[in-house]
Amino acid sequence: MRPPKAFPDLDGETSQDALVVAKLGNGDYLPEFPKCKNLEVICMDPPPFWFRARVQDVVFGSLEQSRIIAATTSHYGMGPFVSYRGPELLRLAVDGDAIVMLRYAYADLHADKIGDLFVILRGPEPIWWLPCSVMDLIVDIDTRQFADDLMLPKKYVSQDEIEKAKDFLVRTDTGYLPRKGLPVAALKQHLRSKYGGQKLPHCEPD
């Protein structure tokens, strides 16, 4: 695949949903959106960008390519997005060769010592870019069974987050440890059995 020359304009009626586990690679910025070139308009985002990804598993939907190029937008630019070197869970919209990752629709994945992947959760809030039903798949985790250090330093956990976390975080002398995770294997089985052949819904706020 070659990088797009501009941010893909997908047709919402014909595009297909895909949820993948992928390792990210570097990319580059795309031309600014035309509306942002208007001198009377202030755009708070950097330009959109594209990135490379090596697909390790298709959790939902259909995606034949093992190496893809996708485009997305972010208020923070491309740097923070591609800085994590572990696998990511990405929600994509696919229309032919055009692939777009929904804005912020990704999560870092962490493997336990037997290789099973998890989305590590910091609180009870639903993952908005997945169906609400996936929150029923949450399991207790033991951070000692993970290869990665999952400790959250105190300075990165707000008081509001602590109050909402309840059973999701446990305090230690140096920070907070997560206690809940969403297993990717269970997510894959659930989405395919419940939403196969359909558009994948979002978890809309009440």
Side-chain angles (χ1 to χ4, degrees), residues 114-129:
I114 63 174
D116 291 335
L117 293 172
F118 292 78
V119 178
I120 305 300
L121 302 172
R122 296 171 59 140
E125 294 82 5
I127 301 171
W128 66 266
W129 43 274

Side-chain angles (χ1 to χ4, degrees), residues 52-193:
R52 301 183 190 276
R54 180 167 54 86
V55 177
Q56 298 179 328
D57 189 23
V58 178
V59 177
F60 179 83
S62 177
L63 193 66
E64 296 181 359
Q65 306 98 313
S66 61
R67 296 181 182 272
I68 64 171
I69 290 176
T72 195
T73 62
S74 170
H75 179 65
Y76 307 99
M78 179 172 53
F81 174 65
V82 298
S83 61
Y84 180 63
R85 291 305 176 186
E88 301 273 6
L89 184 68
L90 311 177
R91 176 162 179 168
L92 307 172
V94 183
D95 190 359
D97 290 334
I99 302 175
V100 170
M101 187 192 80
L102 304 187
R103 186 176 172 95
Y104 305 137
Y106 68 96
D108 298 345
L109 294 174
H110 298 273
D112 65 13
K113 291 182 178 179
I114 63 174
D116 291 335
L117 293 172
F118 292 78
V119 178
I120 305 300
L121 302 172
R122 296 171 59 140
E125 294 82 5
I127 301 171
W128 66 266
W129 43 274
L130 293 175
C132 298
S133 60
V134 308
M135 300 305 285
D136 295 333
L137 307 175
I138 293 173
V139 298
D140 294 330
I141 62 169
D142 180 352
T143 54
R144 295 172 297 182
Q145 298 303 312
F146 285 77
D148 297 339
D149 180 6
L150 302 181
M151 177 69 71
L152 302 170
K154 292 178 182 178
K155 65 180 180 180
Y156 296 134
V157 184
S158 68
Q159 187 60 41
D160 181 61
E161 191 173 11
I162 293 169
E163 293 173 358
K164 293 179 180 178
K166 296 182 180 179
D167 296 332
F168 282 76
L169 296 177
V170 59
R171 184 171 181 172
T172 72
D173 291 339
T174 57
Y176 293 85
L177 286 173
R179 300 179 62 184
K180 305 284 184 179
L182 177 62
V184 172
L187 177 65
K188 182 176 183 177
Q189 181 178 6
H190 172 73
L191 295 182
R192 292 192 174 198
S193 63

Side-chain angles (χ1 to χ4, degrees), residues 13-46:
E13 295 296 322
T14 60
S15 64
Q16 302 294 315
D17 293 319
L19 193 69
V20 303
V21 174
K23 285 279 193 76
L24 305 184
N26 292 329
D28 203 354
Y29 286 97
L30 292 164
E32 184 60 276
F33 291 113
K35 64 181 180 181
C36 293
K37 297 178 180 178
N38 187 332
L39 297 180
E40 297 181 355
V41 173
I42 297 177
C43 289
M44 302 301 292
D45 285 356

